[in-house]
Amino acid sequence: MMRRIAVLDAPTNLGLRPPTSTSVPGCGKAPGALRDHDLLARLRARDAGCLTPPRYDPGDWRPGDGVCHAREISGYSVALADRIGAIIDRGEFPLVLGGDCSVLLGSALAMHRLGEAVGGRIGLVFVDGHSDFRHPGNASYVGAAAGEDLALVTGRGQADLAAIEGRRPYFRDIDVVVLGIRAQDEYRLDLQAAGITTRPVPALRAEGAARTAQWAHEQLADCAGYWVHIDVDVLDPAVMPAVDAPDPGGIAFAELEILLAGLVDTPHCLGVELTVFDPDYDPDGSYAAEIVNTVVAGLAPVSAPEAVPPRLLPAAPPPQRVRSTGPAILAGLATPPNGGAGPAGGPGPGSPVGIAPLGPGEPAVDEPEAVKGPATGGLASAPVETPVPAVAVEPVGPPAGVGPGLLRRVPRADEDGASEDGPAPSSAGIA
């Protein structure tokens, strides 16, 4: 069963500083530039439209005021989370075309809603040339959300961005894997102190892109699924200079293709976002063409005929003792036609260990404790090393009363309501 890709444009530039005093960042043009190279047709993707951002206008923002465009970014993030949620509700695979890295806030909000709905945690694979981990605890000022997005989605920073809908953090530190930062990244020690797993470019190249993707799977084995963020500045400026902050020491297009293919080749990858490409630095469109070639090849496993639809599971589902003779419905998402079984009738990708559907007339029995086998890179699954009797499984769905649109906005009380930002010196610009 194929997974259909849905392409959503998120052409925001609100998270970046102005390139000059009289210009605005050009990354908002990226979705159109990529579409011009037949991206949708080559992906056989559904056009999920465009979410138009508010106007870029720093106005009277001054250092010390917190993140510029914070109110606009917050509102845009809620709307983007709604759109991503609607795509996932349809059983599709979202490809979000940014825009700057502040689109991660909308994706993160959608993932947190989803994790709450299915009773599990959603992880993040953060593929970026920079850690984007600046926050009031480690910097003299904040200003540009695109340089602070990883800090914000892990709960660091002002509440109007880091705790939208009272959700903080959107991703836990232990559920984040950072790939592709430079060896001397400014905040690498802060990531280490926070317990965020990283693999800078030298280590990524030493292990190889394919093994690195497998390693990222393993790091997020306790999550019910994960989202992939890709900033094209992970590429070396020798091959991709069309970004706002090119930094030597990046990877090549071929490595990104292999890495992307490895990350999405699992039903537990829920979607991908692409950010920071700036067509203003690509007058002949050659870099846009290279990006499209890489994305099309990298996403090939998603729409392959043998691709498995996403199956979200709670990280540690409790034992159950109920009767059911029908196919299990896990976390509100249906299993494949064979009930998720592998070729020999065993657990398929994403199947909970030790769970098998009952045959007609078989009595319900207690679910045995799952036996954990060697890591396979799949999330919420492991091979069974000892025979396990069949058990009855109660269909698991979203909370009572939640129907279609379960990822759309659910108002929550603000958990703290306070900004974590202290006074910032007024000696710096927006970013």
Side-chain angles (χ1 to χ4, degrees), residues 275-333:
T275 66
V276 173
F277 168 56
D278 190 336
D280 284 350
Y281 302 113
D282 184 24
D284 64 358
S286 59
Y287 299 123
E290 287 279 8
I291 293 171
V292 168
N293 290 340
T294 300
V295 170
V296 170
L299 291 183
V302 175
S303 55
E306 66 273 15
V308 180
R311 300 180 64 205
L312 295 169
L313 303 174
Q320 303 173 62
R321 186 178 184 176
V322 293
R323 293 183 180 276
S324 175
T325 57
I329 305 298
L330 301 176
L333 297 176

Side-chain angles (χ1 to χ4, degrees), residues 157-168 170 409-420:
Q158 58 200 64
D160 56 350
L161 295 176
I164 299 171
E165 298 179 358
R167 303 170 186 272
R168 189 206 295 262
Y170 311 125
R409 184 173 185 178
V410 180
R412 292 164 48 106
D414 192 352
E415 295 174 351
D416 51 27
S419 169
E420 288 183 294

Side-chain angles (χ1 to χ4, degrees), residues 4-431:
R4 188 181 188 185
I5 298 171
V7 177
L8 171 62
D9 294 1
T12 180
N13 57 6
L14 297 172
L16 289 173
R17 62 180 177 177
T20 69
S21 60
T22 59
S23 64
V24 299
C27 62
K29 305 171 187 176
L34 299 177
R35 284 171 176 257
D36 283 346
H37 289 270
D38 297 324
L39 175 63
L40 272 73
R42 294 175 63 186
L43 289 173
R44 298 184 179 87
R46 181 177 72 86
D47 189 342
C50 174
L51 181 61
T52 304
R55 186 166 65 96
Y56 185 94
D57 182 7
D60 58 356
W61 180 92
R62 297 290 181 272
D65 293 343
V67 176
C68 187
H69 292 121
R71 180 175 61 84
E72 292 82 3
I73 292 171
S74 178
Y76 190 75
S77 297
V78 171
L80 181 57
D82 291 345
R83 296 285 287 269
I84 293 172
I87 292 171
I88 294 177
D89 281 346
R90 291 169 60 109
E92 296 174 325
F93 183 95
L95 170 60
V96 178
L97 304 179
D100 68 62
C101 287
S102 66
V103 300
L104 179 58
L105 275 72
S107 307
L109 180 59
M111 293 302 104
H112 193 278
R113 292 175 182 175
L114 178 58
E116 182 177 75
V118 304
R121 306 193 317 272
I122 307 299
L124 170 67
V125 179
F126 188 84
V127 182
D128 200 306
H130 307 92
S131 61
D132 295 351
F133 203 61
R134 182 175 62 222
H135 58 82
N138 65 10
S140 59
Y141 74 98
V142 295
E148 296 143 19
D149 52 295
L150 183 57
L152 289 166
V153 300
T154 54
R156 297 164 172 88
Q158 58 200 64
D160 56 350
L161 295 176
I164 299 171
E165 298 179 358
R167 303 170 186 272
R168 189 206 295 262
Y170 311 125
F171 299 110
R172 302 197 321 172
D173 292 341
I174 61 171
D175 297 332
V176 176
V177 176
V178 175
L179 305 177
I181 60 172
R182 307 314 192 237
Q184 299 304 313
D185 186 90
E186 183 178 3
Y187 300 110
R188 65 192 185 282
L189 297 181
D190 294 314
L191 294 174
Q192 181 179 346
I196 294 176
T197 303
T198 65
R199 181 166 281 186
V201 170
L204 190 161
R205 282 196 150 152
E207 292 295 326
R211 288 185 179 180
T212 293
Q214 174 70 18
W215 173 80
H217 293 174
E218 294 166 358
Q219 300 307 305
L220 300 177
D222 291 334
C223 293
Y226 61 79
W227 181 262
V228 176
H229 162 90
I230 297 178
D231 182 334
V232 297
D233 71 13
V234 72
L235 295 160
D236 193 273
V239 297
M240 173 45 61
V243 296
D244 69 299
D247 197 1
I251 63 175
F253 274 107
E255 292 169 305
L256 179 57
E257 176 188 323
I258 294 169
L259 181 62
L260 177 58
L263 291 173
V264 303
D265 193 14
T266 166
H268 301 285
C269 180
L270 303 174
V272 173
E273 66 191 22
L274 193 70
T275 66
V276 173
F277 168 56
D278 190 336
D280 284 350
Y281 302 113
D282 184 24
D284 64 358
S286 59
Y287 299 123
E290 287 279 8
I291 293 171
V292 168
N293 290 340
T294 300
V295 170
V296 170
L299 291 183
V302 175
S303 55
E306 66 273 15
V308 180
R311 300 180 64 205
L312 295 169
L313 303 174
Q320 303 173 62
R321 186 178 184 176
V322 293
R323 293 183 180 276
S324 175
T325 57
I329 305 298
L330 301 176
L333 297 176
T335 61
N338 66 352
S351 300
V353 176
I355 293 181
L358 283 177
E362 290 185 35
V365 296
D366 285 325
E367 178 180 349
E369 182 176 356
V371 180
K372 187 174 183 180
T376 63
L379 304 183
S381 66
V384 178
E385 295 179 345
T386 58
V388 180
V391 299
V393 183
E394 180 180 19
V396 179
V402 178
L406 62 90
L407 303 187
R408 297 182 180 87
R409 184 173 185 178
V410 180
R412 292 164 48 106
D414 192 352
E415 295 174 351
D416 51 27
S419 169
E420 288 183 294
D421 285 282
S426 57
S427 60
I430 292 179

